[in-house]
Amino acid sequence: MRFFLVVLLVLAPLTALIYPASAGSSGGVEASVEGVGFLPEDPVMGGSVIITLSLHNSNPTTANDVQYSFYKHNIEQGNLLKYAVVDIPGDGYVDVSAVWNSLQEGSQQIWLDVAFGGDTPVRFYKDFNVSGLANLEVTLIEVSPSSGLRIGDSGIVSTTVTNSGTVASGNSTLQVGIQGLANSSVDVAVPQLTPGQSALVNASLDFLESG
């Protein structure tokens, strides 16, 4: 009896992954991811960041009307942050910039597109991180006793403070006072609060006027 050994060779499909260049030249105008800078270096949620790109003209003569674009997230028309042209002296450098406002928390990408003289554009991106913020809110105020207070009486004001932000808060101070009485305010210490955490703080106030 003969046995036939059958070997099946299964080839997994090959996927071609195309990654954008991190540096390149378009018509002799050079740009690279190393030439991208951020100010501030550590932007925060809701704020702005100035993104700067350094361009080098490797040609001996001036490169007129070098086109450059900044895009948020990816290169799509709806994500265009800035488009402009610039002249770069022969063998010279020029810094161009754009401002990204109303930043969202988390990892972000800025895409750059540079083209000159009808040559293929240089396209690349750079990642940066946007930090979250603590956001302390007064979510509840109660006065004890709730009724029956007379002029000259003291009462306890209980205030609930909640961190509705995305990062922990440091130690802070809450000022509690009676509206219209400048000298009635007292400072109350609020402890560190993690996101979503609340703290109840109390202050003793003298009610020197009716109202």
Side-chain angles (χ1 to χ4, degrees), residues 137-155:
E137 299 180 326
V138 173
T139 53
L140 182 65
I141 300 176
E142 295 181 326
V143 178
S144 178
S146 59
S147 62
L149 284 172
R150 300 186 180 187
I151 296 176
D153 287 350
S154 296

Side-chain angles (χ1 to χ4, degrees), residues 38 59 84 91 136 162 192 206 209:
F38 300 94
N59 300 299
D91 198 27
L136 297 184
T162 301
Q192 297 181 5
D206 294 326
E209 294 184 8

Side-chain angles (χ1 to χ4, degrees), residues 152-166:
D153 287 350
S154 296
I156 301 298
V157 179
S158 299
T159 306
T160 300
V161 180
T162 301
N163 181 6
S164 61
T166 58

Side-chain angles (χ1 to χ4, degrees), residues 25-30 55-61 63 88-92:
S25 173
S26 179
V29 174
E30 301 171 345
L55 301 174
H56 174 228
N57 178 17
S58 63
N59 300 299
T61 58
I88 309 176
D91 198 27

Side-chain angles (χ1 to χ4, degrees), residues 82-149:
K82 181 180 180 179
Y83 166 82
V85 296
V86 66
D87 299 335
I88 309 176
D91 198 27
Y93 290 85
V94 167
D95 288 343
V96 295
S97 63
V99 179
W100 187 340
N101 297 312
S102 302
L103 294 167
Q104 298 296 312
E105 181 184 7
S107 179
Q108 308 293 339
Q109 284 185 348
I110 185 70
W111 282 77
L112 297 308
D113 182 297
V114 179
F116 175 63
D119 197 4
T120 302
V122 177
R123 291 178 171 178
F124 56 89
Y125 69 87
K126 187 167 186 177
D127 294 314
F128 67 100
N129 188 66
V130 177
S131 301
L133 291 173
N135 185 34
L136 297 184
E137 299 180 326
V138 173
T139 53
L140 182 65
I141 300 176
E142 295 181 326
V143 178
S144 178
S146 59
S147 62
L149 284 172

